[in-house]
Amino acid sequence: MKLLYLNVLLMFFLLNPILGHAFDDAGSIKGKVIDEASKNPIESASVILLGTRLGAQTTDDGLFAISGVEPGEYVLQVQYVGYDIKKKTVFLKAGETLDLQLELSGAAVMSKQIVVTGTRTEKFKRDVPVIVNVVDAKMIDATQSLNLLEGLSYQPGVRIENNCQNCGFSQVRMNGLEGKYSQVLVNSRPVFSALAGVYGLEHFPSIMIDRVEVMRGGGSSVYGGNAIAGTINIITKEPTTNSFEFATNTGFIDGKIPDNQISLASSVVADNRDAGMFLFGNYRNRNAFDANGDDFSELSELEDISAGMHGFYNISEFSKIKPEFHVSYENRRGGNKFDKFMHQADVAEGTKHVSLNGSVDYNLYLTEDYKQRLNLYISNRQTFRDSYYGGLGSTDTTDIVAAANAYGRSEDLSAVIGAQYSTAFEGFGGKHELIVGSEFKYNELEDSQPAIDRSIFQVIREQALFVQDDWDINDNICLLIGARLDNHNLIDNVIINPRVSVLGKLTSEFQIRGNVATGFRAPQTFDEDLHILSAEGVRWIYTNAEDLKEERSVSLSGSLDYTVSSIGSEWGVTLEGFYTKLNDAFSQEFNEAASTDDLEVYERVNSSGATVMGGSLEARYLTPYLQVQVGATAQSGKYKEDQEPIDGIFTDEITRTPSLYGYFTISNQFTSQLNVSLSGVYTGSMKVPHEGGDELFIAENVLEETDPFFELNTKVSYLFATSNDSQSGLTLSVGMQNILNSYQDDFDKTAGRDPAYIYGPTRPRTFFVGTAIKF
């Protein structure tokens, strides 16, 4: 891996000699950036000429100046936190000085958000042929989301669920499908492995996140074939201005269990904007929570430490390098007897994770008009995990040797290296932005648990070629068409996945979208469902059937969007329908012939298939001072034939998935200092497997029908600003999550419980107090 990094960096710098290029007759652009409503100057706004390294930062009077600008046409972009991004096309003559006044409006208009997930190029959200929803820093703050996982609840078609009372393993379901059907990207790179999917989404604290782009369905061809339910793209913060932030959060779960978090971030940008660096650190400590007084936890104790950086360096006018690195340490434990070693507890599940994440991204413009670009990238994520799943159990079945041997060790390396060429041109019936690329993914996993004599060594190699054309046929019709070829070492044949999306702008307010995509999931020995089985505290071995083949999918979606935008405000409604058919869907079967009294053997087989269909409705009203968003999803998921989610219980329904769920968020900026937020998440009734038996809490296996839940949250923040026009200063916040205490009330108890029998909101009523210092 070290050699690979050196080779890539060497390739970067060998390309740079072609970039030295001098110009004559340079001019300049200067001006002032002000608030559209108050007309007050905006300090520290970022002003850049897109496609160049030229830019400036406004002074305390809102003034800026960019010199050394060659004659030609440019797009000037102005950006500042809390405001819409403004773009203005300018034409500069030889030796000319342009003097501009630029007004920014409050950040309320969603259609002016810039996204990259739909096409891998920066475009306004409303111009992308696939629906891309954005969880930005403002929403994360308004909902007091401490990490990535918590912030994802406030999107249509997306639901967060807790799958284990002991360790707190959570996952994201999109359009009713489990987390394994979604692809998680970090800065558009697919470095999340099956092991990282178990707890990895909680390893991204909110302080490091710029935004999260959520694309439901297959969408773009440039991403992997396992993006069946959708794609979650984590965009980490980059340096844009000189800034500093220190924040704390003190929560009290059920009014008594502490949950503390401290965050620190700083950003530094050179005066000539040739280089910059963003640094962050985060620490969280949470005590275990026992909901029913049986001395066994429903929420695990947790300690999390993370730190990292994201920087850039403009090597020349036409080339830029962006390194990123962050490390996370997490220690979690659930069960009972927290004052003893885990093997001395009746039940204990614990993991210690150390994750190292790094990437280098290099952009090279091949032409002076910035229409041709080469992007080279390498990313990796290495995870070391020590685990324990076991305990002494009840006194009449004590096995001290087995309990002491229930420790495990996992090492996981996931890496991706790729190259992408893009070119923009006109002809062949419109404007095109063509992308051609190649990507190689490597994943190596070693996982062992001596107590059950299980050892897994898994290597996955996947080489992909992709092509995609973002084709603006005219001002009203846009077509996103492409295909991806994947050569996977666990599949005999090459997989071809074509994907097509279309955007039709019927009027300036009314848009229609459609999407057709195919996908696949390769057989592999380690997956998230292994963790769920292990979490039940049984001894097991998991095997693949000899004739197991890849799972294939076909997804269809369509949407209608009506959006009315005016100066500083927007309201709209989006209606979307989706349909996904899974062929040869993976399913697990209990292998009675291979099992013994103290060992259960499960086999992964291909089922006859499954279908998930439904629709989402989203409404919004947004102004600089009031933002209201509401979303609801109705869906149905069924297998073609009855499955056995738990021994002796058969159903054709996909379990743990409600037929109706939704969310709302309201954020009201009453004054420049006072903000009040209200949010909520609704989870409808669903069927959840509940394991029973002689030594378990209930006598026999049951498929339970759960009650619906409504989680209501509120937050009040007040800013003590350093000046009347400043957003810098001290912010104090107070609030409550799950005000109505809508929380599961039928947990199993004691050592004989089924820890996988958990559903609904991830925490009970929680009070919190927060502070933040920004400048």
Side-chain angles (χ1 to χ4, degrees):
M1 183 56 66
K2 292 181 180 178
L3 181 61
L4 188 58
Y5 270 111
L6 291 174
N7 287 337
V8 172
L9 290 174
L10 180 61
M11 178 170 54
F12 289 167
F13 291 106
L14 287 175
L15 288 169
N16 282 325
I18 70 172
L19 302 174
H21 188 80
F23 298 95
D24 299 317
D25 302 323
S28 62
I29 301 174
K30 66 177 184 177
K32 187 175 185 178
V33 179
I34 63 174
D35 183 284
E36 183 181 61
S38 67
K39 306 304 180 183
N40 292 322
I42 298 176
E43 179 185 356
S44 298
S46 173
V47 185
I48 61 174
L49 292 177
L50 293 182
T52 78
R53 65 171 182 167
L54 300 177
Q57 185 171 302
T58 58
T59 66
D60 54 359
D61 295 324
L63 301 176
F64 71 91
I66 305 173
S67 59
V69 185
E70 296 305 312
E73 184 177 339
Y74 297 92
V75 176
L76 188 72
Q77 177 175 293
V78 187
Q79 184 176 2
Y80 186 69
V81 176
Y83 290 87
D84 288 328
I85 295 173
K86 184 179 185 67
K87 290 186 177 183
K88 180 179 179 63
T89 301
V90 297
F91 184 81
L92 187 68
K93 298 177 182 179
E96 181 183 14
T97 296
L98 291 180
D99 194 349
L100 307 172
Q101 179 165 295
L102 303 167
E103 298 183 354
L104 298 186
S105 60
V109 184
M110 293 180 64
S111 58
K112 293 184 180 179
Q113 289 178 318
I114 292 180
V115 296
V116 297
T117 305
T119 60
R120 253 196 196 175
T121 57
E122 290 189 348
K123 298 189 72 171
F124 283 121
K125 175 182 172 180
R126 197 159 163 79
D127 294 334
V128 179
V130 293
I131 292 181
V132 180
N133 291 95
V134 178
V135 181
D136 58 14
K138 193 169 185 177
M139 179 176 287
I140 290 173
D141 179 69
T143 57
Q144 198 65 12
S145 299
L146 300 183
N147 55 46
L148 167 65
L149 188 73
E150 296 178 10
L152 289 173
S153 297
Y154 304 95
Q155 293 295 308
V158 179
R159 193 174 68 83
I160 309 301
E161 67 176 28
N162 192 340
N163 291 120
C164 179
Q165 282 176 270
N166 289 331
C167 69
F169 158 53
S170 300
Q171 66 171 316
V172 179
R173 287 182 180 256
M174 298 179 66
N175 286 354
L177 293 172
E178 293 179 87
K180 64 190 75 174
Y181 290 96
S182 300
Q183 185 173 56
V184 179
L185 309 174
V186 181
N187 294 319
S188 301
R189 310 303 177 214
V191 292
F192 251 63
S193 63
L195 178 67
V198 178
Y199 302 107
L201 293 178
E202 297 177 72
H203 295 171
F204 289 84
S206 56
I207 191 72
M208 70 176 292
I209 299 173
D210 178 68
R211 66 188 188 277
V212 183
E213 298 181 3
V214 180
M215 181 175 66
R216 301 189 304 279
S220 174
S221 298
V222 298
Y223 302 118
N226 61 323
I228 296 172
T231 300
I232 299 170
N233 193 4
I234 308 162
I235 309 297
T236 60
K237 288 181 180 178
E238 296 184 23
T240 56
T241 61
N242 297 327
S243 64
F244 175 83
E245 178 178 358
F246 175 78
T248 67
N249 179 83
T250 301
F252 295 95
I253 301 170
D254 200 30
K256 55 190 176 184
I257 303 299
D259 183 1
N260 300 308
Q261 180 161 296
I262 299 175
S263 302
L264 180 70
S266 180
S267 183
V268 179
V269 180
D271 291 339
N272 61 4
R273 304 193 62 82
D274 275 347
M277 180 175 292
F278 169 79
L279 302 169
F280 80 92
N282 185 81
Y283 175 77
R284 184 182 184 187
N285 186 286
R286 182 184 72 196
N287 287 7
F289 169 65
D290 173 18
N292 52 16
D294 65 345
D295 294 328
F296 287 77
S297 64
E298 271 66 55
L299 285 177
S300 62
E301 67 175 10
L302 176 69
E303 182 183 32
D304 181 271
I305 305 172
S306 56
M309 58 78 66
H310 197 171
F312 73 88
Y313 175 63
N314 292 323
I315 302 170
S316 76
E317 183 176 352
F318 297 100
S319 63
K320 183 177 186 178
I321 188 168
K322 293 165 52 177
E324 189 270 342
F325 176 80
H326 68 274
V327 59
S328 63
Y329 165 84
E330 185 200 75
N331 185 7
R332 64 170 66 212
R333 176 181 171 178
N336 74 333
K337 297 183 179 179
F338 290 90
D339 58 335
K340 298 182 180 294
F341 292 111
M342 285 188 282
H343 64 268
Q344 294 176 317
D346 297 314
V347 171
E349 293 185 28
T351 61
K352 289 184 180 180
H353 286 85
V354 175
S355 295
L356 306 174
N357 309 263
S359 67
V360 178
D361 197 275
Y362 179 79
N363 283 291
L364 168 66
Y365 287 97
L366 302 175
T367 57
E368 295 178 10
D369 60 4
Y370 303 102
K371 291 186 177 181
Q372 295 186 46
R373 187 181 69 164
L374 177 66
N375 176 226
L376 306 174
Y377 56 88
I378 181 170
S379 300
N380 82 289
R381 179 183 177 95
Q382 190 161 14
T383 302
F384 304 92
R385 183 181 76 168
D386 293 316
S387 61
Y388 182 87
Y389 298 105
L392 293 174
S394 56
T395 56
D396 59 341
T397 59
T398 297
D399 187 343
I400 297 176
V401 175
N405 287 334
Y407 291 93
R409 173 74 173 177
S410 306
E411 295 186 12
D412 181 74
L413 172 65
S414 182
V416 57
I417 182 170
Q420 175 181 301
Y421 168 79
S422 62
T423 180
F425 62 93
E426 295 187 29
F428 304 102
K431 298 179 181 179
H432 301 262
E433 188 155 1
L434 180 67
I435 295 176
V436 180
S438 177
E439 191 171 78
F440 176 74
K441 294 167 58 178
Y442 178 85
N443 178 236
E444 180 179 301
L445 170 72
E446 187 172 358
D447 180 77
S448 64
Q449 288 193 10
I452 55 176
D453 193 27
R454 181 179 68 82
S455 179
I456 294 175
F457 181 74
Q458 174 179 280
V459 174
I460 295 175
R461 295 181 299 273
E462 186 176 355
Q463 178 68 52
L465 299 173
F466 55 85
V467 58
Q468 178 175 279
D469 186 15
D470 187 2
W471 178 13
D472 289 331
I473 298 175
N474 53 44
D475 292 339
N476 299 317
I477 301 176
C478 180
L479 190 66
L480 186 67
I481 183 169
R484 181 180 172 108
L485 282 71
D486 287 278
N487 185 8
H488 199 292
N489 68 305
L490 300 182
I491 301 175
D492 294 334
N493 53 302
V494 175
I495 303 293
I496 302 176
N497 286 306
R499 296 183 174 184
V500 179
S501 300
V502 62
L503 165 65
K505 300 178 182 179
L506 304 182
T507 68
S508 59
E509 295 87 13
F510 191 49
Q511 294 184 340
I512 184 171
R513 288 176 173 85
N515 170 259
V516 180
T518 62
F520 76 97
R521 287 183 61 224
Q524 56 188 49
T525 311
F526 190 94
D527 215 332
E528 292 96 325
D529 51 6
L530 291 186
H531 172 84
I532 295 173
L533 288 171
S534 177
E536 294 175 358
V538 300
R539 298 182 62 194
W540 52 265
I541 291 178
Y542 204 93
T543 61
N544 286 342
E546 291 185 2
D547 59 347
L548 186 68
K549 56 185 178 180
E550 73 273 7
E551 181 178 357
R552 303 297 297 268
S553 69
V554 177
S555 300
L556 307 174
S557 66
S559 66
L560 302 173
D561 179 84
Y562 186 80
T563 300
V564 177
S565 298
S566 58
I567 297 177
S569 68
E570 172 183 300
W571 69 270
V573 177
T574 302
L575 177 64
E576 181 185 18
F578 58 87
Y579 173 90
T580 300
K581 181 179 181 181
L582 302 176
N583 297 313
D584 300 316
F586 295 148
S587 180
Q588 63 188 39
E589 290 184 353
F590 177 65
N591 190 332
E592 185 174 1
S595 300
T596 64
D597 292 339
D598 59 353
L599 180 67
E600 295 183 6
V601 177
Y602 291 84
E603 189 175 56
R604 179 184 280 122
V605 299
N606 293 114
S607 70
S608 57
T611 300
V612 177
M613 65 180 71
S616 295
L617 178 64
E618 181 185 9
R620 57 200 171 273
Y621 175 73
L622 306 163
T623 73
Y625 311 105
L626 175 65
Q627 295 89 44
V628 180
Q629 297 184 58
V630 182
T633 301
Q635 65 181 46
S636 171
K638 291 183 179 294
Y639 292 98
K640 289 183 179 179
E641 300 175 355
D642 284 352
Q643 302 296 303
E644 192 177 8
I646 191 168
D647 189 26
I649 303 295
F650 295 88
T651 180
D652 65 346
E653 293 188 39
I654 297 178
T655 58
R656 303 189 64 88
T657 300
S659 57
L660 181 64
Y661 53 97
Y663 75 97
F664 80 90
T665 62
I666 301 173
S667 181
N668 194 344
Q669 190 79 40
F670 284 96
T671 69
S672 59
Q673 287 81 38
L674 178 63
N675 183 276
V676 178
S677 301
L678 194 67
S679 61
V681 176
Y682 175 79
T683 304
S685 178
M686 57 183 147
K687 292 185 177 180
V688 177
H690 192 180
E691 185 174 359
D694 294 339
E695 298 177 7
L696 299 182
F697 185 72
I698 61 174
E700 58 184 21
N701 295 339
V702 179
L703 190 62
E704 304 279 7
E705 183 91 23
T706 71
D707 293 328
F709 293 91
F710 179 64
E711 184 179 2
L712 182 65
N713 318 296
T714 188
K715 179 181 179 179
V716 179
S717 301
Y718 190 87
L719 170 65
F720 296 89
T722 55
S723 65
N724 292 334
D725 302 324
S726 175
Q727 295 189 16
S728 301
L730 170 66
T731 301
L732 298 181
S733 305
V734 295
M736 187 184 304
Q737 293 161 319
N738 202 350
I739 297 172
L740 305 177
N741 204 28
S742 184
Y743 193 62
Q744 183 178 347
D745 60 4
D746 65 338
F747 289 109
D748 284 1
K749 296 182 178 181
T750 69
R753 67 182 185 174
D754 172 14
Y757 182 61
I758 183 170
Y759 55 89
T762 57
R763 62 188 157 205
R765 182 186 294 123
T766 299
F767 304 89
F768 66 85
V769 178
T771 64
I773 299 174
K774 298 181 181 180
F775 58 83

